[in-house]
Amino acid sequence: MGTGKYLTYNASRKKFLTKEKDLPAVNEKFHFMKGRIDVNIGTEGHALTTRGYWIIHPEKVLNPNCMGSNAGGRIVTEAFNISNSSKGQRWVILSGEGLQAFDQAIKDERKAELEEMLAHIKALAETPHTEDASGTDAALQTKLSEIEEKANQAETTTEAIATLTEEALAAGMAFLAEATPKSVEHPFDITFLMSDASLKDGEGWSTKPAISFSCGEFFEKAFDFNQTLTALPAGTYQFKGQAFQRPGNTEDVYKAFTAGQDNVNVVIYAGDEEAKIQNIAAEAQTKKLGGSETAVGSNPTRYVPNNMRAASFYFAAELYDNGVVTQLDEDDSKMKVGMRCEEVQAAYWTIFDNFRLYYYGTMSPDQVTSIRQTVADKAQLDGPFATPADVYSLSGIRVRQQATSLDGLPQGIYIVNGYKLVVR
């Protein structure tokens, strides 16, 4: 080791330590157990691939003490966890040559992160927008050019590259603070600020759902699934995600929904604002999309997802989209986004995927939701709601009986007395 000391195990303190000792005693020894999966460090073409090892104190138990590391990078002692996900317990052991390759791989990885961040910030600048303060665009371009020039210098260290990534992000947020998109339809896409928005592994969220087919689910379980974003500019935001809840048995839920009873108790939220997500019956289809699906209703028969694989097909078809609009004031720079369910009963199933976050600058929340208001108000004046009428989804499901407006319905397209109406 670089310290000139030996790694050892102190049996009386039950801790892994370093010690100046040539020959360890029996009770100071430990085992190396090779991991089952590769450790990949760096980017494609410059990656280092190796295996990690569990460092275990030998004991006649299934969960002996094992050397791990905490979030701060300090050595800790943990109970051995044999799962592949226990990355904090597996250690990479490298030769001098391997260490050089490791250093280069890390540097390449940091460069790739910087390039990705620069691409995100440039995409913001390319979004049609107006400057709220003169010189906003020029200031961003100057800063990005400066960052790229420093990154291309041969002597730039790994730590310096990481700092440049932070500077690029800060420059992007400073730009957003002084810019507003030209239209509601094309806001600034800032989904890249979120951790694992597409649900690959659940990292960065407050709690971990079951994840498969890039979908997350909670079954018969209350939850608050969220993450907090920081250093955000003041302005209006929209948080979106594909999701639905089946609040009970599929057949009972479908019958209740078509009779006008929603019963969904899951909300999608951003900051202080929240909105119910869609009922599983709201996007029932007349044709199967794939996976295990349940047939509901008749004349015609319709289908809804019955497992995660099927839900992934429905999400891929851009169904079950939800959103909520909120606003950050000048004195606030952080926002919690997520989904929450405070109470569940038997067979309650919630599944979700594809979260997105958009920024609208100085537009008011009313402007962001103005399309919905305009369509609904015009419809009420011009015909569909001149008298109470039933509201149907595009797939022919009656979602509301004898209604007088679209207020409170999830986003989507609805049919009322032959009129096609949009709720955004």
Side-chain angles (χ1 to χ4, degrees):
M1 296 178 64
T3 61
K5 297 182 180 181
Y6 290 89
L7 180 65
T8 186
Y9 180 81
N10 187 303
S12 61
R13 296 174 62 186
K14 296 184 177 180
K15 287 186 175 182
F16 288 88
L17 304 167
T18 55
K19 191 173 184 180
E20 293 179 353
K21 190 171 185 179
D22 292 335
L23 185 64
V26 172
N27 64 354
E28 294 176 319
K29 294 181 179 179
F30 47 82
H31 287 319
F32 288 91
M33 190 173 88
K34 196 171 187 179
R36 295 183 295 262
I37 57 175
D38 287 338
V39 176
N40 297 302
I41 305 168
T43 57
E44 186 176 355
H46 298 278
L48 171 67
T49 300
T50 184
R51 289 287 178 97
Y53 290 82
W54 280 280
I55 301 177
I56 305 168
H57 181 250
E59 301 174 48
K60 294 180 180 179
V61 294
L62 293 176
N63 58 342
N65 285 336
C66 177
M67 190 170 81
S69 64
N70 61 19
R74 298 180 64 85
I75 290 177
V76 295
T77 301
E78 301 177 340
F80 169 61
N81 181 353
I82 198 172
S83 67
N84 291 335
S85 62
S86 61
K87 299 177 182 178
Q89 291 187 358
R90 291 199 303 278
W91 297 83
V92 175
I93 301 173
L94 300 173
S95 63
E97 182 178 327
L99 184 59
Q100 290 182 347
F102 171 81
D103 289 340
Q104 185 60 50
I106 291 295
K107 186 172 183 178
D108 291 337
E109 191 172 67
R110 295 295 175 267
K111 281 186 175 180
E113 291 172 355
L114 173 58
E115 290 171 359
E116 184 177 11
M117 179 61 71
L118 289 170
H120 286 311
I121 303 306
K122 290 177 181 178
L124 295 180
E126 291 168 1
T127 301
H129 64 276
T130 57
E131 292 183 339
D132 299 331
S134 180
T136 297
D137 289 350
L140 177 63
Q141 294 305 320
T142 298
K143 184 61 179 179
L144 295 184
S145 296
E146 175 188 312
I147 290 172
E148 289 178 321
E149 182 178 350
K150 290 181 179 179
N152 289 330
Q153 294 174 359
E155 66 274 14
T156 304
T157 64
T158 301
E159 292 75 15
I161 293 171
T163 299
L164 291 176
T165 302
E166 294 175 1
E167 290 181 11
L169 175 59
M173 295 304 99
F175 163 78
L176 289 181
E178 302 294 349
T180 296
K182 287 186 175 180
S183 71
V184 174
E185 291 81 5
H186 297 95
F188 294 115
D189 187 343
I190 56 172
T191 305
F192 68 91
L193 298 179
M194 298 181 62
S195 297
D196 194 26
S198 59
L199 293 181
K200 294 180 181 178
D201 53 22
E203 292 297 324
W205 293 91
S206 60
T207 187
K208 207 161 190 176
I211 295 179
S212 188
F213 300 100
S214 190
C215 300
E217 72 169 11
F218 291 104
F219 181 70
E220 295 183 342
K221 183 178 181 180
F223 60 87
D224 190 349
F225 179 73
N226 67 73
Q227 58 181 273
T228 299
L229 306 175
T230 60
L232 297 175
T236 298
Y237 294 80
Q238 184 178 44
F239 176 54
K240 302 189 74 175
Q242 289 178 275
F244 64 79
Q245 183 186 42
R246 185 191 66 199
N249 173 274
T250 302
E251 184 177 351
D252 293 340
V253 168
Y254 183 80
K255 288 179 179 178
F257 185 79
T258 54
Q261 299 173 18
D262 190 335
N263 298 327
V264 166
N265 65 355
V266 177
V267 297
I268 184 171
Y269 67 90
D272 297 329
E273 301 296 328
E274 63 181 46
K276 277 188 179 184
I277 67 170
Q278 292 198 56
N279 187 301
I280 189 173
E283 300 273 25
Q285 300 295 297
T286 56
K287 294 182 179 179
K288 289 186 175 183
L289 298 186
S292 175
E293 298 171 86
T294 300
V296 292
S298 59
N299 297 321
T301 299
R302 296 177 176 83
Y303 301 92
V304 295
N306 191 44
N307 63 10
M308 298 183 80
R309 180 168 179 264
S312 71
F313 285 115
Y314 279 65
F315 291 154
E318 300 183 354
L319 301 172
Y320 297 114
D321 209 14
N322 310 268
V324 61
V325 177
T326 192
Q327 193 171 36
L328 278 185
D329 297 328
E330 292 288 350
D331 58 353
D332 198 358
S333 62
K334 63 181 180 179
M335 178 172 62
K336 184 185 288 187
V337 298
M339 289 175 35
R340 179 176 62 246
C341 177
E342 297 180 348
E343 182 180 355
V344 293
Q345 299 178 31
Y348 274 41
W349 177 41
T350 303
I351 187 163
F352 42 89
D353 193 11
N354 299 324
F355 291 105
R356 288 146 285 149
L357 185 64
Y358 301 107
Y359 180 67
Y360 295 84
T362 58
M363 289 186 188
S364 70
D366 287 344
Q367 285 177 279
V368 176
T369 57
S370 62
I371 293 179
R372 168 184 172 170
Q373 293 168 347
T374 300
V375 171
D377 292 346
K378 184 177 186 300
Q380 287 172 224
L381 290 173
D382 291 353
F385 293 114
T387 58
D390 291 347
V391 180
Y392 294 85
S393 70
L394 275 181
S395 56
I397 299 174
R398 184 172 59 189
V399 299
R400 185 169 289 177
Q401 292 177 296
Q402 296 300 291
T404 57
S405 76
L406 299 177
D407 292 346
L409 286 175
Q411 294 178 334
I413 301 175
Y414 298 91
I415 306 299
V416 183
N417 278 335
Y419 287 78
K420 186 180 289 187
L421 306 179
V422 180
V423 173
R424 295 185 184 276

